[in-house]
Amino acid sequence: MPPKVENIASLIAKRDIAIASLDELHEEFNILYQVEPELIALEDVHKEIEAKYRSVKKQQSTIAERLIDSGEPESDKMSANTQIGDKVKSDYLKYTERFVVYQKKLNAEKKLSNDHEKLQAMTSAVTKNGRCFKFAKERKPWIREIVCSHVGWS
């Protein structure tokens, strides 16, 4: 069975539908971005945007090839196809940049949170250690000697 050959008009219509779907994903991304969700929610939308972008890019390439094959490389359809492709690419890059900035922001906040938790754990350990030594010194001097010799203190 020979491969299905679509005319340029149907390819353009499919591309335009894909672009409309991409615009809806952009709107969803903007809404999520404003409420600062968990990274995974924004990441899912970004993956969908990326997949749609690749699809539109492929469709744009196919349309350009068909226009060249039909002998219309300098036509208005070709320049419109190029302009649409450039706009879609620009939008994709803009949303990708926003996603990466948000991803870095969340990762930096997470690192600061982890550092704070580590500092609290170390402070707690030192405080408990101090209480233990105070108790050992007041109550049982021989415990202090054992603990200090084990740790390497004199």
Side-chain angles (χ1 to χ4, degrees):
M1 191 153 109
K4 183 178 176 183
V5 177
E6 299 181 58
N7 64 24
I8 294 173
S10 65
L11 288 173
I12 290 173
K14 285 182 178 181
R15 181 204 59 205
D16 291 345
I17 291 169
I19 290 173
S21 174
L22 191 57
D23 289 340
E24 289 174 6
L25 288 170
H26 288 162
E27 188 175 321
E28 183 179 347
F29 183 93
N30 285 332
I31 291 168
L32 282 173
Y33 191 84
Q34 289 173 357
V35 297
E36 297 185 352
E38 290 294 319
L39 186 59
I40 191 134
L42 203 59
E43 189 173 33
D44 290 344
V45 175
H46 183 264
K47 284 179 184 178
E48 288 182 48
I49 289 173
E50 187 175 24
K52 270 301 177 199
Y53 166 72
R54 286 187 179 140
S55 170
V56 169
K57 186 177 172 184
K58 185 176 179 181
Q59 290 169 342
Q60 179 205 6
S61 169
T62 303
I63 291 169
E65 288 172 4
R66 295 279 172 86
L67 288 171
I68 290 171
D69 290 346
S70 70
E72 301 182 53
E74 303 297 324
S75 71
D76 291 338
K77 287 181 181 178
M78 182 62 106
S79 66
N81 186 47
T82 304
Q83 287 175 348
I84 289 170
D86 291 345
K87 182 189 178 314
V88 169
K89 181 178 181 179
S90 171
D91 288 347
Y92 170 72
L93 293 175
K94 179 177 79 173
Y95 283 94
T96 299
E97 181 182 19
R98 287 177 67 193
F99 173 72
V100 169
V101 166
Y102 188 71
Q103 189 177 35
K104 285 182 180 179
K105 176 186 164 193
L106 285 184
N107 288 339
E109 288 173 0
K110 189 176 182 180
K111 184 179 184 304
L112 287 175
S113 174
N114 286 344
D115 289 347
H116 181 70
E117 289 171 8
K118 288 177 186 175
L119 183 60
Q120 278 184 322
M122 288 177 13
T123 304
S124 174
V126 168
T127 303
K128 287 178 184 176
N129 228 358
R131 283 191 216 131
C132 182
F133 282 135
K134 182 179 177 186
F135 172 78
K137 184 178 180 183
E138 293 172 356
R139 304 275 197 267
K140 311 274 186 197
W142 57 271
I143 292 178
R144 182 174 177 265
E145 290 174 19
I146 293 172
V147 171
C148 288
S149 66
H150 179 67
V151 177
W153 298 337
S154 21

